[in-house]
Amino acid sequence: MSPLATADFLDQLFAFLEPDKVDAIARETGFIQRKRVVTASDFLALLFQVQGNLMDCTLQELCFKLTTEQDISISRAALDKKFTMNAVHFLHRLVEELCRFQHQLLPEGQVHNLPFTSIRILDATAASVPDHLKARAQKTRQTSVKIQYEFDLLTGRFTFFCLDRQNINDAVIGAKRVPFLEGQELCLQDLGYFHFKVFEGIQHYGSYFLTKFRSDAYLAYRNPFPNYHPNGDVVASSQYHRIDLAGLCRNMAPGEVLELEEVHFGRDAHFPARCILLSHDDAQRQVRLGRIQRRATKSGKKPKQLVQDLAGITGYMTNLPESVSDAQVVELYRLRWQIELSFKILKSYLAIDHFKLVKQERWLCHVYGIFLVFLLSQLMAYRFRNAIWEEEQEISEMVAIRSIGCGLLAKLYEAFRQKKKTPQAFVHLITRLLIRTARKPASAKGTAMKRLHAM
């Protein structure tokens, strides 16, 4: 991928945020209703300067930044009036428009010898009101929010986003993104999204799923010789034989991968899928037993014996074709950890979970603002990652997103807005910075991209 193509990508991305377009969206959402001292693009520039973090800066500090960086004089009271539900709708609308616009910027990915064109990783994180402030937060109407987020590991595109203030079940929310699958996509998700109807939907749209299953899950073989009633009907209880997983896994060696054939999942669903088992060593087994005991102590319920017996086993369920080996399935699921790194960026570096007693509208602007900064940074980071990868060099996705979101995004946006520099002027600077700060020459496993291409 040539530097010119990367510069063209930056040019198109920031054209999406050009002042006229941003102001038009602000008018449509009611954020800006007439000519103001602070325009929508000024507000966006301020947001990028603080990396979207509206909690750690006081109103006085925000006013000071507007004065020093943009030569805009405004009082604290006037700035506080900017944080309205219309401002929340404005930022939400920008996220939605970016979701639609990104498909024009990034081509589909492809990994050689693998049957899918994207790796969609779904999970949720929360920005919560601290327990000791919940009573006082009722006056400001601030509530905890749960963020459902899915992105494509190959391109950096975000494929699903939902901010939930009612804490709806993960499986219910996860089902909402199924109709938007484009076919030949791989969906990675954890146990919170385990639901047979969702898996059926993914298959219906010609895509693939890969998930773990619970240790006490019902797995069975179809019985070729079921019992029959006198009237000729099959005895329902004899149609399937449950698999004794504990007995089957007892003699597995640490690190061994075993695939079971023609397995059906669920006592009532009898859902056919590939079943792959991975055995861990005794140290990992003891760690898992400790987690099981802690959960049991917290819930007050005694853990099932089967769950304890299978503490050293991880089970995977997938509809990937046989051309993807069992070892590759295990390695693919390990890529799910990449979304945890994204959440680490959101919380540790962009401070989305920082909380302060302010009015609800400012709190929601904080959440949406940080997420907008994160999404723009991720799109740029993955574009540069893929370009650098073509030169057979690796960078860390997490370090790249952090570097762009916390340092470069505000400078890029301001330079584009003021037409001081073209995006091409930043390509070599960003590439050099990412290679210098994020290269991993001594890493045994390498980054996710290296492991993926090594399959």
Side-chain angles (χ1 to χ4, degrees):
M1 194 179 301
S2 67
L4 186 60
T6 305
D8 185 58
F9 163 80
L10 287 179
D11 195 27
Q12 293 181 59
L13 181 62
F14 283 99
F16 162 76
L17 294 173
E18 66 181 15
D20 289 344
K21 290 184 180 180
V22 170
D23 290 343
I25 293 174
R27 287 192 295 272
E28 290 175 16
T29 56
F31 176 48
I32 300 294
Q33 298 178 357
R34 57 183 182 273
K35 190 173 181 179
R36 297 284 190 178
V37 174
V38 179
T39 65
S41 58
D42 293 332
F43 180 78
L44 206 56
L46 173 64
L47 207 65
F48 291 157
Q49 288 167 18
V50 296
Q51 297 91 50
N53 185 352
L54 298 172
M55 291 293 101
D56 291 343
C57 290
T58 64
L59 288 173
Q60 184 66 49
E61 290 169 336
L62 293 175
C63 292
F64 182 75
K65 287 182 179 295
L66 280 171
T67 302
T68 57
E69 300 292 336
Q70 302 185 51
D71 195 25
I72 296 174
S73 180
I74 187 173
S75 67
R76 288 177 297 174
L79 180 60
D80 188 51
K81 290 180 181 179
K82 288 288 182 185
F83 299 114
T84 62
M85 285 308 298
N86 288 335
V88 177
H89 296 324
F90 165 66
L91 293 175
H92 187 193
R93 176 74 178 277
L94 282 178
V95 171
E96 290 180 335
E97 292 294 329
L98 181 60
C99 183
R100 285 188 282 268
F101 183 73
Q102 65 180 342
H103 289 274
Q104 305 173 25
L105 300 176
L106 298 166
E108 293 289 342
Q110 181 67 54
V111 184
H112 65 286
N113 300 326
L114 293 175
F116 42 81
T117 58
S118 67
I119 302 177
R120 296 173 61 146
I121 309 177
L122 172 67
D123 208 348
T125 190
S128 304
V129 179
D131 290 340
H132 69 283
L133 291 176
K134 283 184 177 179
R136 294 173 62 190
Q138 291 179 358
K139 296 181 179 179
T140 59
R141 297 182 293 116
Q142 289 170 271
T143 57
S144 300
V145 295
K146 189 173 185 179
I147 300 169
Q148 302 281 349
Y149 173 59
E150 182 184 57
F151 78 103
D152 174 18
L153 179 64
L154 299 182
T155 62
R157 291 188 302 188
F158 60 103
T159 50
F160 181 74
F161 169 76
C162 178
L163 192 146
D164 170 29
R165 283 185 273 172
Q166 298 177 347
N167 198 18
I168 302 173
N169 182 272
D170 285 347
V172 174
I173 296 295
K176 291 184 177 181
R177 104 282 193 198
V178 172
F180 299 98
L181 292 171
E182 299 176 355
Q184 291 188 306
E185 296 183 300
L186 174 61
C187 301
L188 300 184
Q189 52 201 32
D190 66 7
L191 283 172
Y193 302 90
F194 193 101
H195 199 282
F196 293 117
K197 289 293 184 183
V198 173
F199 301 144
E200 289 175 0
I202 292 173
Q203 287 193 149
H204 174 74
Y205 284 94
S207 291
Y208 307 102
F209 61 82
L210 173 54
T211 181
K212 287 182 181 179
F213 61 84
R214 288 169 57 97
S215 300
D216 58 350
Y218 184 92
L219 279 65
Y221 291 126
R222 185 185 291 274
N223 183 8
F225 306 106
N227 298 327
Y228 291 88
H229 291 290
N231 63 0
D233 293 338
V234 177
V235 177
S237 61
S238 69
Q239 284 186 294
Y240 295 89
H241 283 319
R242 185 170 186 177
I243 299 172
D244 179 14
L245 275 184
L248 189 66
C249 300
R250 192 168 291 124
N251 296 321
M252 288 182 66
E256 182 181 351
V257 179
L258 174 67
E259 180 167 357
L260 307 182
E261 297 180 355
E262 298 181 356
V263 174
H264 292 74
F265 290 79
R267 187 182 300 274
D268 299 316
H270 300 305
F271 188 84
R274 292 177 65 186
C275 174
I276 296 164
L277 305 173
L278 170 66
S279 176
H280 302 286
D281 58 30
D282 190 61
Q284 290 173 304
R285 180 176 178 275
Q286 293 301 322
V287 169
R288 290 180 165 214
L289 282 172
R291 291 175 185 166
I292 291 170
Q293 292 300 328
R294 285 194 295 274
R295 284 197 297 266
T297 301
K298 188 175 181 179
S299 65
K301 298 179 180 179
K302 184 178 179 180
K304 297 179 182 179
Q305 186 60 45
L306 178 61
V307 173
Q308 297 182 68
D309 292 342
L310 293 173
I313 301 294
T314 297
Y316 304 94
M317 171 184 169
T318 184
N319 67 335
L320 283 166
E322 298 291 337
S323 60
V324 182
S325 69
D326 49 12
Q328 286 177 314
V329 168
V330 172
E331 191 64 31
L332 281 169
Y333 192 80
R334 287 174 178 156
L335 296 174
R336 200 201 69 82
W337 186 252
Q338 293 299 118
I339 200 165
E340 302 295 345
L341 299 180
S342 296
F343 292 155
K344 181 177 181 180
I345 295 168
L346 282 168
K347 292 186 174 183
S348 298
Y349 302 117
L350 297 179
I352 196 170
D353 59 344
H354 283 202
F355 185 83
K356 185 167 62 176
L357 286 169
V358 295
K359 63 182 184 181
Q360 181 194 40
E361 293 79 7
R362 183 176 166 190
W363 163 238
L364 293 176
C365 284
H366 166 81
V367 175
Y368 276 113
I370 285 182
F371 216 83
L372 179 63
V373 169
F374 170 76
L375 294 176
L376 289 166
S377 302
Q378 179 171 265
L379 285 173
M380 286 189 279
Y382 276 66
R383 178 74 177 201
F384 278 94
R385 178 204 68 176
N386 290 345
I388 293 170
W389 174 259
E390 290 183 0
E391 303 296 327
E392 298 185 355
Q393 298 185 69
E394 288 190 275
I395 65 169
S396 163
E397 296 89 346
M398 185 177 73
V399 174
I401 297 171
R402 183 187 68 193
S403 300
I404 293 171
C406 295
L408 292 171
L409 181 59
K411 296 182 183 299
L412 283 166
Y413 180 68
E414 192 60 27
F416 180 84
R417 193 166 74 110
Q418 301 296 337
K419 303 188 184 308
K420 294 178 180 177
K421 291 184 179 180
T422 63
Q424 190 171 358
F426 289 94
V427 172
H428 294 293
L429 170 66
I430 298 173
T431 303
R432 189 169 64 250
L433 173 66
L434 294 181
I435 290 176
R436 181 181 299 171
T437 60
R439 198 185 314 185
K440 291 184 171 181
S443 174
K445 291 185 177 180
T447 62
M449 283 294 287
K450 182 177 181 179
R451 297 199 306 275
L452 186 59
H453 284 270
M455 291 182 186

